[in-house]
Amino acid sequence: MMTETAPFRPIEAGSQPANDTPLYRSTGLRHPARPPLRIPQTVTETTGPRFRPVQFGPIADLSVVNRKQAVGERIIVRGRVVDEDNRPVPHTMIEIWQANTGGRYDHPGDQHDAPLDPNFHGSGRVFSDADGWYQFVTIKPGAYPWHNHHNAWRPNHIHYSLFGTGFGQRVITQMYFPGDPLLALDPIYHAIPDQAARERLISSFDINITSPDRALGYRFDFVLRGRHATPTEQG
Amino acid sequence: MLVATSHQTIGPYWHLIEDPAWSNLLRFGAEGDRIVLTGTVTDGGGELVTDAAIEIWQTSPAASDGFPAFGRCQTDATGSFRFTTLKPGPVAGLGNAQQAPHVAISIFARGLLTSLTTRLYFQDEPLNESDPVLSLIEDPARRATLIARKVSDDAWHLDIRLQGENETVFMEI
């Protein structure tokens, strides 16, 4: 496999949230007060871990546990992982986690008074294919309250973790759903300054991903940081 | 040109994807100079951060089927993480530069909208004096926030402070 070692291009202004976001209260004591140190990108930053399905087994259907169907609206999520130059990112690992249809995580820390579903755990792992496409089946997550401010509710969302091809491409984010009225009120979503960047976190309904008699389909694409154009090295 | 996807917080429920085995980078059978890396994460109020995900990545020794060179560990009720891995050696820098042995660290947590990046260096490594990243930090006290202290023959410990007094040096890459 070719290992790319060209450095990543700078982050586009306004496209990433600032850690100092007072409307999201938990940031208060957790954001660094000093500006980050800009460092040159060495092999430590330009390369990254590789995950193979034989060691990190895929879980591509979150809607079934022990052959029993979870409660809620079954959906299919499909999309493509590319870089900023629109080159597909093949065979990259994608981790997924989310609340159940009632807005409850199968997690001891979640004390929301909504029922757990014995047939829904809410975590998955898939790999993009040779052209960067990924797909999984799940249950549409419910909204849930949190204690950030009075009457605060998180919009429906699915959490994602992607690794890409280098440490500098690592990204953890959330996918939202079109038409969700809670987006307008959500300080985590609005922490991203640029409106277009924000709206790219909203999936789109897609009739071509929708499976007849089975599940609605949503499209959600990822863009990982691009690299400066320099020759690649044999890895 | 496209623009890279925005980050969002990992939130408090990321343990749904946690596999505690990932903190042991020797689980696939790697052999060599085994070491333990521990650390404690605190916030700007001095409180322990007990819900973070700490990830490490090292380019020495090189990743292989037996050595993922990557690990993930939660911070526990005492704000602490613990990795078992192999001791890195010097790493090539830019041009003819040589970097001191180091481990890259990413920190994700509720209250962090985007990950924090830093590095762990090892106490008593002569190359620390000439390391191109450490050399960017003029204040010795700031530089010291990246240097793990040796707590036994094969174990090092790094305190990470997200904010305030002795705030860790975080990096933009």
Side-chain angles (χ1 to χ4, degrees), chain B residues 42-114:
Chain B
T42 50
D43 72 11
E47 297 293 320
L48 299 167
V49 174
T50 59
D51 55 6
I54 309 298
E55 293 183 349
I56 61 170
W57 161 245
Q58 55 192 90
T59 45
S60 168
S64 65
D65 284 350
F67 183 61
F70 169 87
R72 180 158 68 204
C73 185
Q74 61 159 292
T75 55
D76 62 14
T78 66
S80 302
F81 59 87
R82 181 181 193 276
F83 292 97
T84 305
T85 186
L86 296 177
K87 179 97 185 331
V91 174
L94 301 185
N96 295 321
Q98 193 173 40
Q99 303 187 79
H102 65 275
V103 172
I105 298 179
S106 291
I107 302 168
F108 303 88
R110 172 182 62 85
L112 289 178
L113 283 153
T114 185

Side-chain angles (χ1 to χ4, degrees), chain A residues 15-16 19 24 26 28-31 33-34 37 44-45 55 84 95 107 170 172-173 176 223 225, chain B residues 1-2 4-8 15 44 51 55 57 65 72 102 110-111 113-114 119 163 167 170 172-173:
Chain A
S15 68
Q16 295 297 340
N19 274 324
Y24 173 22
S26 297
L29 291 170
R30 291 190 167 191
H31 73 270
R34 292 167 176 268
L37 176 72
T44 302
E45 289 73 33
Q55 285 180 332
E84 289 178 320
E95 299 175 288
H107 184 287
R170 181 92 176 91
I172 286 182
T173 190
Y176 300 102
V223 180
R225 282 175 75 185
Chain B
M1 199 188 82
L2 303 172
T5 302
S6 305
H7 291 227
Q8 295 273 265
H15 306 86
D51 55 6
E55 293 183 349
W57 161 245
D65 284 350
R72 180 158 68 204
H102 65 275
R110 172 182 62 85
L113 283 153
T114 185
R119 282 183 170 196
Q163 185 190 84
E167 181 176 305
F170 297 104
E172 179 181 326
I173 58 175

Side-chain angles (χ1 to χ4, degrees), chain A residues 92-148:
Chain A
T92 195
M93 189 168 81
I94 303 171
E95 299 175 288
I96 305 147
W97 72 104
Q98 62 167 90
N100 69 17
T101 187
R104 176 86 183 263
Y105 288 86
D106 185 10
H107 184 287
D110 187 356
Q111 297 299 309
H112 176 35
D113 180 21
L116 285 168
D117 179 350
N119 301 322
F120 188 79
H121 179 54
S123 71
R125 181 190 296 151
V126 295
F127 289 79
S128 62
D129 69 14
D131 282 320
W133 290 95
Y134 76 93
Q135 177 172 310
F136 62 95
V137 177
T138 188
I139 296 293
K140 188 174 179 184
Y144 58 84
W146 60 314
H147 295 130
N148 186 68

